Amino acid sequence: MKYQCIAQDGKARAGLIETDHGVIETPVYMPVGTQGSVKAAQQRELIEMGAEIILGNTYHLYLRPGTDIIEQAGGLHRFMSWAKPILTDSGGFQVFSLTDLRKIEEGGVTFRSHHDGSLHTFTPENVVQIQRQFGSDIMMVFDECTPYPCEFKYAKDSNEMTVRWAERCKTMFEKSSPIYGHSQALFGIVQGSVYPEIREMSSRSLIEMEFDGYAIGGLAVGEPVEEMYRITEFTEKFLPANKPRYLMGIGLPENILESIDRGIDMFDCVIPTRNGRNGMLFTRNGTMNMRNARYKTDFTPVDAECDCYTCRTFTRSYLRHLFIAKEILALQLASIHNLTFFLWLAKEARKKIIEKRFKEWKATMLARLQASVFTEHQTSISQ
Ligand SMILES: [Zn+2]
């Protein structure tokens, strides 16, 4: 994997990540394909929307269908018929947030499956091995994502273990080889909760290990948004300019724009699909709740400036009808639009960075996103 920064406007960067499954133009929004599927969106639709890379969740795929089945299929790309790049997380976030956790030890984490209660262990070594079997283009190290709020002492001890785990992941990565003939990259994850000194220690230790890219984890876990920006801004200063930076699990459109402005290249979030399925559509003029009676006879598109299939083809009135009638098509059309909007946002940011007009465009977009007549309810950030 190669990264090249091709333009910069302030801290905001436009770059290229080259993988064996294609080039990713950054900043990039990565749709989340939790269980080998981006919920309510087909692979051919993702291609049409311009998705360049999608995410898979190691925890979910490991439990179901199981790593062996994915390996028998020839890897995750073949299993889910997706020929573009895939990033898989390390399972850490889900293990700590979803499971009945049995034990966190230096060696690894023992947990019970949220499906059937069966007992499993993730270690830095087996998490790298599992991602080798998936064949993801970008693999993530196993880390502990600390909750918020988090005591300083806990955050410090946890991060020291996460750093030791990162080293073990890196060793395992170097000892093992790709199974399917394409190369795989490994990213480190900076932790440290909201404490600058731990973030600095984490960044410095990981950079010494020379990962292919660096993620900032442990944010968007309930801290105030200003804290998230403050920690992102602080951490970015330590990250090498010649490697991609990935802010995990962020966020709302405004969070993405603010983070691009702070030097972040990669984003993933379930908000477009999850909120979309609940009837919340994101537009250049703020969010809309499609169930609202005001759209009953509104025969205009969701977002007149959007060129997605939903906006090209259907009206707000029809979408509202589908949501009220609980038609599956409602979820599909909402997901197509929201994913297209998030993909557009990152692509447009990239254009503006190249044109050196990012700051003014960001200000205009933020005003449009926030001052909307549509905005009916706030959403929360979640992973
Ligand atoms: Zn649209």
Side-chain angles (χ1 to χ4, degrees):
M1 193 202 82
K2 272 190 234 155
Y3 171 79
Q4 194 195 348
C5 178
I6 61 153
Q8 203 162 346
D9 189 8
K11 288 259 178 204
R13 319 189 318 156
L16 297 169
I17 299 173
E18 275 177 55
T19 76
D20 288 351
H21 285 100
V23 175
I24 304 157
E25 296 190 334
T26 61
V28 65
Y29 166 72
M30 307 182 281
V32 181
T34 310
Q35 313 203 52
S37 149
V38 176
K39 288 189 195 304
Q42 296 183 29
Q43 276 72 333
R44 64 180 177 191
E45 293 167 338
L46 292 166
I47 301 282
E48 193 195 328
M49 291 172 207
E52 294 179 44
I53 172 170
I54 59 169
L55 235 81
N57 286 123
T58 289
Y59 169 82
H60 291 289
L61 293 165
Y62 158 83
L63 288 178
R64 193 173 63 192
T67 313
D68 292 349
I69 290 177
I70 291 176
E71 187 173 358
Q72 279 177 46
L76 187 55
H77 290 88
R78 280 205 179 173
F79 184 58
M80 64 177 292
S81 289
W82 177 257
K84 290 188 175 222
I86 295 176
L87 181 151
T88 46
D89 67 1
S90 66
F93 182 79
Q94 281 79 19
V95 162
F96 290 101
S97 60
L98 285 185
T99 71
D100 177 11
L101 208 57
R102 305 315 289 177
K103 223 185 271 176
I104 308 175
E105 292 173 312
E106 186 67 30
V109 178
T110 308
F111 60 94
R112 286 199 184 276
S113 156
H114 75 289
H115 296 305
D116 59 7
S118 55
L119 210 56
H120 302 266
T121 304
F122 274 171
T123 66
E125 289 78 15
N126 76 6
V127 156
V128 168
Q129 185 50 41
I130 292 166
Q131 294 179 86
R132 285 286 193 206
Q133 288 167 276
F134 291 162
S136 32
D137 299 272
I138 300 176
M139 328 196 312
M140 303 299 297
V141 297
F142 191 53
D143 64 327
E144 182 183 6
C145 176
T146 49
Y148 180 86
C150 181
E151 297 276 327
F152 181 83
K153 171 94 171 79
Y154 188 92
K156 185 165 181 290
D157 292 347
S158 163
N159 178 63
E160 283 167 7
M161 186 178 68
T162 284
V163 166
R164 291 191 294 272
W165 283 0
E167 192 143 31
R168 286 166 56 190
C169 285
K170 177 80 179 177
T171 304
M172 184 64 192
F173 177 72
E174 278 164 4
K175 273 196 344 209
S176 57
S177 312
I179 299 173
Y180 310 107
H182 62 266
S183 62
Q184 294 178 278
L186 181 66
F187 279 24
I189 306 176
V190 177
Q191 288 288 349
S193 187
V194 292
Y195 305 108
E197 57 198 283
I198 311 178
R199 290 279 173 185
E200 177 174 352
M201 180 265 175
S202 177
S203 308
R204 289 189 190 281
S205 309
L206 295 175
I207 290 156
E208 257 176 54
M209 297 177 213
E210 292 193 23
F211 286 98
D212 297 303
Y214 297 89
I216 302 177
L219 293 178
V221 291
E223 76 284 0
V225 74
E226 289 70 29
E227 286 282 87
M228 181 175 94
Y229 295 147
R230 181 177 68 93
I231 293 296
T232 302
E233 203 167 316
F234 177 82
T235 306
E236 185 274 340
K237 289 187 288 191
F238 301 99
L239 302 180
N242 62 347
K243 300 282 170 74
R245 297 98 172 250
Y246 164 27
L247 185 53
M248 302 180 84
I250 311 293
L252 293 169
E254 52 267 37
N255 305 142
I256 292 177
L257 294 181
E258 291 291 5
S259 304
I260 289 172
D261 204 12
R262 287 163 174 78
I264 303 297
D265 309 306
M266 303 164 75
F267 301 90
D268 76 286
C269 194
V270 296
I271 282 180
T273 40
R274 180 182 292 165
N275 293 20
R277 294 196 304 279
N278 290 324
M280 183 197 236
L281 275 81
F282 290 86
T283 78
R284 287 154 184 78
N285 297 306
T287 57
M288 309 166 65
N289 177 355
M290 277 330 293
R291 287 197 179 82
N292 197 306
R294 75 167 75 172
Y295 305 122
K296 208 169 179 176
T297 54
D298 185 340
F299 301 107
T300 63
V302 169
D303 184 340
E305 292 169 67
C306 177
D307 66 355
C308 83
Y309 172 67
T310 303
C311 293
R312 287 195 323 261
T313 319
F314 304 104
T315 63
R316 294 172 178 180
S317 170
Y318 181 63
L319 247 72
R320 175 178 184 273
H321 160 69
L322 295 178
F323 270 106
I324 299 290
K326 296 192 166 59
E327 283 292 328
I328 292 172
L329 188 56
L331 316 187
Q332 296 170 324
L333 295 181
S335 297
I336 288 177
H337 169 76
N338 277 355
L339 286 168
T340 303
F341 177 72
F342 275 64
L343 290 161
W344 170 84
L345 193 70
K347 286 175 197 289
E348 195 68 7
R350 178 187 165 83
K351 269 194 219 160
K352 303 300 174 186
I353 293 165
I354 293 169
E355 293 166 7
K356 305 264 185 224
R357 291 172 51 217
F358 177 74
K359 283 245 189 242
E360 64 178 272
W361 174 76
K362 185 191 90 169
T364 310
M365 274 314 296
L366 288 178
R368 288 187 70 185
L369 289 167
Q370 281 155 14
S372 159
V373 290
F374 295 136
T375 302
E376 290 140 358
H377 52 280
Q378 271 293 316
T379 180
S380 61
I381 303 168
S382 62
Q383 269 169 314

